[in-house]
Amino acid sequence: MSSTPENGRTPENRPHGASETHPQVPRVVIIGAGIVGCSLADELTARGWTDVTVLEQGPLPAPGGSTSHAPGLVFQTSPSKTLAEFAKYTVEKFVSLEVDGVSCFNQVGGLELATTPERLAELHRRAGYAAAWGIRGEVVSAARCKELWPLVDESVVLGGLHTPDDGLARALLASRAQLERATERGARFLERHTVTGIEKEDGRIKAVVTDQGTFPADHVVSAAGFWGPVIGRMAGIDVPLQPLAHQYARTKPLPELGKATEEASKPILRFQDRDLYFREHTDRIGIGSYAHQPLPVDPFAILPYDEARAQDMEMPSSYPFTEEDWAPSWEDCRWLIPALREAEIETGFNGVFSFTPDGMPVLGESRELRGFWLAEAVWVTHSAGVARAVAEWMVDGRPSLDLHECDLTRFEEAQRSPSYIRERGSQQFVEVYDVLHPLQPMEQPRPLRVSPFYARQQQLGAHFLEGGGWERPHWYEANAPLTEGLDIPERDPWSARFWSPIAAAEAKATREKVALYDMTPLRRLEVTGPGALDFLNRMTSNNLRKKPGAVTYTLLLDERGGIRSDLTVARLAPDRFQIGANSPADLDWLTRHAPADVQIRDITSGTCCIGVWGPLARDLVQPLTRDDFSHEAFGYFRAKETYLGHVPVTAMRLSYVGELGWELYTSADLGLRLWDTLWEAGQDLGVIAAGRSAFNSLRLEKGYRAWGTDMTDEHNPYEAGVGFAVRTDKEFVGREALDNAPVARKLTPLLLDDPAAVVLGKEPVFAPTLGSARAGGAPIGTPAGYVTSASYGYTLGRCIAYAWLPAELTTGAGVHIEYFGEKIPATVAEEPLFDPKMTRIRR
Ligand code: FAD
Ligand code: THG
């Protein structure tokens, strides 16, 4: 078997045994021959993993899952770069696939319509995503929309987003093409094989049991679509998805379509203002609606294929059409497309597919059951991209794209309850076409997780947003009086949402006095045991071989030198470390690699943290303790276990906001007492509570990266600007890859030229083509990259935007950021933008 430590597999998680016929390749069983199962078989066999068995309960090639009736609209544009990349690959692949001379993709283009000013603005924003992720698209006039879709009533349309490379996937044809290609390479597809059980041994997958016999396997991938939870239960693994029915109908032949000969020639059409989409079916129109009430389906109650057929259902995933749910949508269709006023619906059904709590797929290998993979909750649109990523992950140990938004580990325990998954999944259905602000929190179920200071935060008028299930204060109404006299530029209505000028006052108070920040949601891991130091030193890039009391900023890299996370590691005792981490994937990654003499525990729940930061932080804390908190006795990036008043704390002298101060950790039961102790001690100093809005501004002024937003495993430390945390003179995972790490692009700080302008993140950045002639002033140029994080820098009086841009763009270079279709001038700046000499922190 070709797995080596280089591909992320330690000896303990290597697949046991190789197949008898192919001693070199592992045995893979894929459950489900929908578009995902077929694509995955193709991608795996293309990579030489040819011992692939696909088990499908229904008859091939249309086994009765979601793929069997998907109308196949592929709109590539998404706020998520990862989803956009999946979709781009799906289009690229399906365009080149054909069966009997018929292409698997009909590239008719895409058109999204606006009938309200809000939607038109949103389409400009979506055009920005398209430009940022490299998808062709432009906002066009109502007249152009009419040209593209003559049946649309031009008088109600304000404009549209035209994306010429979108189109229709022929999902069943693409399944067949990939099935056939995989079969030629050695894969077998077994129809009418219903999986009934999963056999495991020592935490590893062993075999898949079906009604036709047992199939031994080294790797099993559940590509069972909305049956995922059923397969998951057999494996003892939660699969956080909710199946919901969605209405799709076709009209009778429509004379107004003219003499249609092709299956479709007009762009696929979206009318998001009424939760509708349209496509042609030769002389008919097909219409899908998300406007109806959510119709959740119990995945455990879905009928087997033959029983469904016997009950007059076309297939298990297709429920009878409910007229009453359709009626309002039909009115909306007739409003937009007058030709439908005389038309009738010929057929319709309520088709089932998967919704997750955050709308993203669920991908990856289970840590509890090694060799058991999920590739679930995937649209046709993303299917080939997902299949490629999962195949790379299985074969090479790592996907080439950043998948953290799709990682099965991403849900916290509190986000895995059946009721959470049902509620959130249904909400995703409702919101599928809504105009969503990037900061907009979910509304239910809340509050879910709160810190011990929650009651105090409420008393101070905290405005909470939600993240990872946590209630997080963004600013406090109690600080409103501090805005008096501040010169804060007015904002446009969009960027003014989920924002308050109070954030500016909180930032100022942090720079000038002292503020308390609730850092409880910051993930904390405890690593203990005799092997802990060696283990962490091997897993991360910086030198951790320091005396107890040291805190180190360090990076978790993968074998290719990509940044999996950035951590602070505090050595609290010779064999005991506390890690400040990012996503749940950090725990997963470390646990997978940990030897037997190292224990890792997530201690986030049950503990809490307050950041006390600002020039007066020492004046606040020192009187509360007998320990010496002077700069000499308690240096920067040092940790101490001590008492503040009655409260035992672990104090760490570091600050993500770039001011003097400490992170103070204690157990949850003592949290409120800690807050009250600090609050009381700070009264004479003018202490305030400050929220994440100020926090994000202050950290960007210091240039501190946020993992997952500014940098991911697609980036190496040098291009991300965190090379200072890499010690090339020691051995660690990813070390070798760094010797040839490219730095063609860089995470680049930009300052917007206009002090009143703001952007929010994910906007495209235009730069003049390097070396091009510059006639007639500064040209806008072409999309050269995209913004990661942005925030107004209140201390600087300018909006800061970090962006991935070509490394040739050096300080002073002029660029443009597109915000709602407008090109906003910005300039490459020198970092850090604030306190480059670190005089505020190191004193
Ligand atoms: P499926 O196609 O459901 O395949 C899973 C397979 O697993 C099934 O064939 C099933 O029989 C098999 N299976 C399950 N349990 C077992 C078992 N125990 N043993 C053996 N086999 C098992 N997406 C788009 O991108 N664009 C669209 O326009 C679009 N429109 C849609 C319209 C409707 C009405 C619906 C319902 C869905 C639509 N989708 C669309 C979503 C899309 O169809 C699905 O997301 C996609 O087809 C899922 O593919 P899959 O391979 O994961 O699942
Ligand atoms: N606090 C703690 N752990 C954390 C974070 C935190 N872990 C995850 C995430 N946040 C890590 N991110 C950073 C980023 C920057 C710094 C700390 C954590 C930082 N950097 C200094 C600098 O770049 O100048 C010091 C670096 C050094 O001296 O090596 O402070 O917020 N506990």
Side-chain angles (χ1 to χ4, degrees):
M1 139 92 235
S2 65
S3 277
T4 61
E6 279 74 39
N7 69 15
R9 304 208 166 275
T10 54
E12 8 354 326
N13 69 3
R14 230 173 245 171
H16 294 315
S19 78
E20 280 157 35
T21 42
H22 309 273
Q24 294 307 312
V25 297
R27 297 161 302 180
V28 180
V29 170
I30 297 172
I31 303 170
I35 191 73
V36 174
C38 292
S39 291
L40 184 58
D42 180 54
E43 295 285 339
L44 282 172
T45 52
R47 285 169 176 75
W49 279 25
T50 47
D51 190 350
V52 172
T53 303
V54 184
L55 300 172
E56 171 54 60
Q57 64 189 1
L60 290 172
S66 307
T67 306
S68 300
H69 53 54
L73 289 80
V74 175
F75 285 93
Q76 299 170 79
T77 305
S78 160
S80 160
K81 175 170 172 284
T82 302
L83 288 188
E85 299 284 356
F86 286 157
K88 278 161 62 181
Y89 180 68
T90 303
V91 170
E92 192 187 308
K93 186 176 188 185
F94 289 4
V95 160
S96 72
L97 276 180
E98 47 171 70
V99 179
D100 303 335
V102 181
S103 169
C104 292
F105 200 80
N106 187 359
Q107 207 152 23
V108 289
L111 181 63
E112 304 185 5
L113 297 176
T115 60
T116 62
E118 295 73 28
R119 182 66 59 180
L120 187 59
E122 167 77 358
L123 295 185
H124 276 289
R125 228 158 55 84
R126 290 178 57 77
Y129 296 137
W133 317 143
I135 296 163
R136 287 201 300 153
E138 64 172 330
V139 175
V140 297
S141 68
R144 177 72 179 133
C145 294
K146 178 83 179 169
E147 257 173 54
L148 290 164
W149 247 92
L151 298 188
V152 164
D153 179 358
E154 184 184 345
S155 71
V156 303
V157 173
L158 301 179
L161 172 61
H162 182 219
T163 42
D165 298 326
D166 288 343
L168 287 164
R170 298 192 171 101
L172 275 179
L173 210 60
S175 296
R176 225 181 95 196
Q178 296 179 97
L179 176 155
E180 284 170 5
R181 200 154 73 178
T183 306
E184 280 164 24
R185 298 192 193 111
R188 48 179 183 159
F189 286 74
L190 303 177
E191 60 183 341
R192 298 228 176 241
H193 280 59
T194 300
V195 173
T196 54
I198 300 285
E199 283 182 9
K200 24 185 167 171
E201 192 174 75
D202 303 332
R204 264 211 75 86
I205 196 84
K206 193 172 159 229
V208 176
V209 183
T210 74
D211 56 353
Q212 313 276 337
T214 296
F215 294 81
D218 303 308
H219 290 276
V220 171
V221 187
S222 177
F226 62 79
W227 284 268
V230 180
I231 303 294
R233 182 174 289 180
M234 295 176 198
I237 303 298
D238 284 341
V239 178
L241 67 80
Q242 174 65 46
L244 285 142
H246 151 63
Q247 292 199 298
Y248 192 80
R250 287 187 196 209
T251 64
K252 288 186 174 163
L254 201 67
E256 288 82 351
L257 279 173
K259 248 199 150 25
T261 45
E262 285 176 81
E263 182 196 23
S265 56
K266 301 181 202 18
I268 52 173
L269 187 69
R270 267 181 177 167
F271 177 24
Q272 289 110 315
D273 288 326
R274 304 288 168 90
D275 294 313
L276 291 168
Y277 64 84
F278 303 84
R279 60 159 289 185
E280 295 161 276
H281 293 281
T282 318
D283 56 352
R284 295 161 164 81
I285 294 183
I287 307 162
S289 168
Y290 293 100
H292 53 84
Q293 55 168 335
L295 301 165
V297 170
D298 177 0
F300 293 90
I302 292 162
L303 294 177
Y305 191 87
D306 294 327
E307 274 178 52
R309 298 285 291 185
Q311 298 209 0
D312 248 14
M313 284 165 70
E314 202 195 329
M315 53 181 96
S317 61
S318 166
Y319 283 70
F321 192 60
T322 45
E323 298 279 354
E324 62 282 11
D325 290 314
W326 180 256
S329 285
W330 188 226
E331 286 311 303
D332 291 334
C333 295
R334 293 166 150 188
W335 182 73
L336 181 73
I337 301 176
L340 293 177
R341 286 170 201 167
E342 303 302 318
E344 280 174 63
I345 294 298
E346 188 170 72
T347 53
F349 63 99
N350 290 6
V352 182
F353 70 110
S354 308
F355 288 79
T356 56
D358 57 5
M360 300 295 285
V362 187
L363 311 179
E365 187 197 23
S366 162
R367 176 159 39 88
E368 291 79 31
L369 183 55
R370 300 286 172 90
F372 182 75
W373 298 75
L374 297 182
E376 309 274 18
V378 180
W379 285 33
V380 170
T381 301
H382 308 119
S383 56
V386 162
R388 176 176 67 171
V390 172
E392 288 170 342
W393 206 343
M394 294 174 73
V395 176
D396 308 333
R398 203 201 94 146
S400 56
L401 276 180
D402 157 39
L403 293 193
H404 80 276
E405 295 174 316
C406 310
D407 196 313
L408 58 85
T409 64
R410 71 187 180 278
F411 299 106
E412 305 280 342
E413 202 182 354
Q415 296 173 304
R416 305 186 77 101
S417 68
S419 54
Y420 183 93
I421 289 157
R422 194 175 53 245
E423 227 172 285
R424 294 301 311 152
S426 300
Q427 194 56 27
Q428 285 298 326
F429 177 91
V430 171
E431 289 176 358
V432 78
Y433 285 162
D434 285 3
V435 177
L436 295 175
H437 192 278
L439 287 172
Q440 191 164 327
M442 62 182 207
E443 279 162 21
Q444 294 296 333
R446 287 181 64 190
L448 190 58
R449 307 176 86 185
V450 299
S451 77
F453 332 123
Y454 186 59
R456 297 293 179 267
Q457 293 168 339
Q458 285 179 308
Q459 286 161 8
L460 294 169
H463 283 256
F464 293 100
L465 301 181
E466 182 272 351
W470 289 101
E471 292 299 322
R472 303 192 295 187
H474 275 241
W475 64 87
Y476 294 86
E477 209 52 47
N479 296 325
L482 302 179
T483 56
E484 213 164 292
L486 289 186
D487 183 21
I488 307 154
E490 284 266 333
R491 288 195 167 200
D492 66 275
W494 183 254
S495 66
R497 295 185 67 196
F498 306 103
W499 173 83
S500 162
I502 295 171
E506 293 178 0
K508 187 167 192 282
T510 311
R511 292 269 183 253
E512 293 178 357
K513 290 181 176 169
V514 58
L516 305 185
Y517 286 85
D518 181 359
M519 298 291 287
T520 303
L522 173 77
R523 186 176 311 280
R524 293 172 286 288
L525 308 178
E526 182 192 71
V527 182
T528 52
L533 174 64
D534 286 341
F535 168 65
L536 290 174
N537 217 28
R538 179 166 62 77
M539 293 305 295
T540 79
S541 63
N542 211 335
N543 174 33
L544 303 181
R545 217 169 280 288
K546 297 173 190 160
K547 290 210 180 77
V551 183
T552 308
Y553 177 71
T554 187
L555 306 172
L556 267 188
L557 304 181
D558 63 26
E559 294 75 9
R560 286 182 235 177
I563 304 170
R564 287 197 58 104
S565 189
D566 64 339
L567 310 174
T568 58
V569 178
R571 190 172 192 192
L572 298 176
D575 289 348
R576 181 162 59 91
F577 295 80
Q578 182 172 318
I579 294 180
N582 290 300
S583 76
D586 295 349
L587 174 67
D588 186 75
W589 177 256
L590 289 171
T591 307
R592 280 169 185 270
H593 288 83
D597 63 347
V598 173
Q599 292 80 48
I600 308 172
R601 216 157 56 91
D602 188 326
I603 57 167
T604 314
S605 302
T607 61
C608 61
C609 178
I610 300 175
V612 185
W613 292 312
L616 302 181
R618 186 174 285 126
D619 302 277
L620 192 156
V621 175
Q622 183 64 81
L624 297 171
T625 172
R626 278 199 251 170
D627 271 302
D628 186 351
F629 271 49
S630 70
H631 180 57
E632 294 68 32
F634 196 154
Y636 184 50
F637 267 76
R638 303 287 304 169
K640 237 191 240 298
E641 295 183 297
T642 180
Y643 292 89
L644 292 182
H646 298 290
V647 183
V649 297
T650 302
M652 292 188 204
R653 191 167 155 211
L654 62 101
S655 156
Y656 204 63
V657 303
E659 291 294 331
L660 174 68
W662 290 267
E663 289 177 349
L664 302 170
Y665 298 87
T666 192
S667 54
D669 54 339
L670 291 160
L672 193 58
R673 182 68 189 221
L674 177 63
W675 179 278
D676 288 344
T677 303
L678 296 168
W679 186 253
E680 227 165 87
Q683 283 314 299
D684 292 344
L685 303 168
V687 70
I688 63 156
R692 291 193 69 82
S693 194
F695 182 83
N696 199 39
S697 163
L698 297 167
R699 70 112 183 149
L700 277 176
E701 288 184 341
K702 281 302 294 174
Y704 293 158
R705 277 69 173 141
W707 185 86
T709 307
D710 298 318
M711 57 191 189
T712 68
D713 60 7
E714 287 182 9
H715 309 112
N716 72 54
Y718 305 114
E719 50 189 9
V722 288
F724 66 88
V726 176
R727 289 284 301 264
T728 47
D729 56 357
K730 62 161 231 188
E731 292 275 306
F732 57 90
V733 176
R735 164 71 191 82
E736 273 164 41
L738 295 183
D739 284 337
N740 302 308
V743 191
R745 55 182 179 182
K746 271 191 155 162
L747 185 59
T748 307
L750 304 173
L751 285 176
L752 274 55
D753 295 352
D754 174 358
V758 290
V759 298
L760 298 178
K762 298 195 176 189
E763 295 86 1
V765 181
F766 290 72
T769 317
L770 295 160
S772 70
R774 295 177 188 226
I780 299 278
T782 51
Y786 58 91
V787 175
T788 57
S789 309
S791 171
Y792 202 80
Y794 300 106
T795 324
L796 304 172
R798 286 278 194 291
C799 181
I800 305 161
Y802 270 78
W804 280 101
L805 287 172
E808 301 87 45
L809 287 168
T810 48
T811 308
V815 299
H816 286 85
I817 304 175
E818 187 182 294
Y819 181 69
F820 287 102
E822 225 182 287
K823 301 285 193 300
I824 299 182
T827 304
V828 175
E830 186 81 32
E831 40 170 11
L833 306 165
F834 177 75
D835 190 24
K837 297 224 162 71
M838 304 281 281
T839 52
R840 304 178 69 87
I841 303 186
R842 295 178 182 273
R843 64 179 163 153

